Amino acid sequence: MTKPNARPGVYRADLHMHSVFSDGLKTPETLCAMAHELGLQAVALTDHDTVGGVEEMGRAAQAHGLDWLPGVEIGSGASGRTHIVCYGSAVEGTEMRAFLQRMSDTRKARAEEMVRLLETKAGIHLTEEGLKLLDRPNVSRPHVARAMVASGVVDTTDEAFDRYLAEGKCAYVPRTLLSAQETVVLARRLGAVPVLAHPMRLKMEETAITAFILSLKEAGLMGVEAFHPSASPRMAGQLEALARREGLLVTGGSDYHGDPQAHARIGGLAEGWTAIREDVQALMNAVNHPR
Ligand code: AMP
Ligand code: MN
Ligand code: MN
Ligand code: MN
């Protein structure tokens, strides 16, 4: 069926976006309206550790004539930096929801600990207005960063991360998470399609990234997010080639959070994703026929 926004010969998709249900600034409805406006054909909401926005995303995508996939981005690994994006209706199942709820429950205590560390280690006190931003589900470090800006103790959220909230800084509180392998195994057991998000964010040598992807494939990984703002066109091409060689799905997304100053824009991917239409179709097929 031809979509009202379909442009002959041009196919655009964004399979990695965040909404107000995690640390994004836009609602799922706004994301879909923007995607439609930009001429995209397919979208996926991949909030951190929650499927709270998936239902709204589905309704909005349909209303705007967009293809869509349920998704969630699960923080994994010792530093929480290994992100596994899972696609498919299985992410909304009872067992996945229970797992994500446990992750959400620990976030509240962690935010309180960050506030305490800001006070005791840095002498920083958040204002009532700032603290209000933390009284919400799935509170994460970007919310603490925004609370610090609102409290007037830093000028930007980047400054909040660089000076206080990044790994190793005085108000950083680690989370206890599954390993990436464990997350992949869980996703497969529940019938979801696990994809390694933004491999370049792992800050590993190129050969180590390859080895890591191969080890995750052993655990059941089904795809690699080759196209992401963190990957240069050259690296995206290498990740794409590796994925294809290994029979893994190739995916991509902007990781849009809605921040006006961030460079990621909806549908804005590294250049060179020439097989985007086929790759999105292959992901849709995989999601509809869990192995
Ligand atoms: P959390 O899951 O609470 O540890 O927060 C992780 C989120 O914080 C990531 O998904 C990013 O959106 C954001 N983030 C992490 N590191 C930085 C950084 N150095 N500067 C800005 N944002 C960051
Ligand atoms: Mn985020
Ligand atoms: Mn991520
Ligand atoms: Mn993300």
Side-chain angles (χ1 to χ4, degrees):
M1 199 175 69
T2 312
K3 302 251 166 59
N5 61 339
R7 287 200 232 129
V10 179
Y11 187 92
R12 302 187 67 202
D14 196 326
L15 305 174
H16 189 151
M17 291 189 272
H18 294 274
S19 78
V20 291
F21 285 87
S22 66
D23 58 352
L25 292 167
K26 306 279 198 257
T27 63
E29 159 57 33
T30 301
L31 292 176
C32 287
M34 292 172 75
H36 173 80
E37 193 75 4
L38 290 163
L40 271 69
Q41 277 81 3
V43 290
L45 183 69
T46 55
D47 272 318
H48 297 286
D49 313 324
T50 177
V51 290
V54 166
E55 219 181 286
E56 180 182 330
M57 190 71 176
R59 271 198 310 274
Q62 278 176 357
H64 289 282
L66 298 162
D67 288 334
W68 70 286
L69 286 161
V72 61
E73 178 175 25
I74 301 179
S76 313
S79 66
R81 209 190 288 151
T82 313
H83 292 180
I84 306 293
V85 171
C86 299
Y87 295 105
S89 50
V91 304
E92 294 185 279
T94 314
E95 204 176 325
M96 182 64 96
R97 279 183 189 275
F99 168 74
L100 297 173
Q101 185 59 51
R102 286 195 295 278
M103 290 185 86
S104 173
D105 291 345
T106 63
R107 281 186 172 279
K108 191 175 153 59
R110 178 180 181 241
E112 284 164 6
E113 177 65 5
M114 285 191 272
V115 170
R116 196 187 66 79
L117 287 173
L118 282 173
E119 286 175 6
T120 54
K121 304 273 178 188
I124 284 178
H125 295 269
L126 299 183
T127 61
E128 208 150 294
E129 187 199 346
L131 288 170
K132 241 187 250 163
L133 299 175
L134 305 182
D135 186 17
R136 48 155 298 139
N138 302 307
V139 57
S140 62
R141 281 185 289 159
H143 300 113
V144 178
R146 290 170 199 150
M148 292 175 75
V149 173
S151 301
V153 295
V154 289
D155 291 329
T156 64
T157 53
D158 274 346
E159 185 190 344
F161 269 93
D162 292 347
R163 294 181 61 186
Y164 305 103
L165 302 175
E167 221 181 316
K169 303 296 173 177
C170 66
Y172 175 73
V173 179
R175 293 197 295 156
T176 310
L177 302 165
L178 296 187
S179 71
Q181 274 82 1
E182 288 169 330
T183 301
V184 165
V185 168
L186 174 72
R188 288 304 297 274
R189 186 166 63 73
L190 301 182
V193 174
V195 171
L196 177 63
H198 44 66
M200 301 316 295
R201 284 265 178 85
L202 294 167
K203 306 276 176 235
M204 290 179 185
E205 301 286 335
E206 285 178 31
T207 51
I209 291 178
T210 302
F212 185 57
I213 289 173
L214 294 180
S215 75
L216 288 181
K217 185 192 163 191
E218 288 290 307
L221 186 77
M222 293 179 70
V224 175
E225 189 180 63
F227 296 94
H228 181 275
S230 61
S232 65
R234 184 182 74 84
M235 280 317 302
Q238 287 194 21
L239 291 166
E240 179 188 13
L242 170 65
R244 295 208 194 285
R245 203 162 59 233
E246 295 297 326
L248 295 166
L249 297 160
V250 173
T251 74
S254 66
D255 217 343
Y256 184 69
H257 280 69
D259 307 74
Q261 72 269 51
H263 65 281
R265 295 276 172 268
I266 289 176
L269 309 172
E271 294 150 39
W273 192 4
T274 48
I276 179 168
R277 185 192 297 265
E278 293 75 17
D279 288 336
V280 173
Q281 190 58 54
L283 176 62
M284 298 255 179
N285 291 344
V287 158
N288 290 327
H289 305 282
R291 280 176 284 163

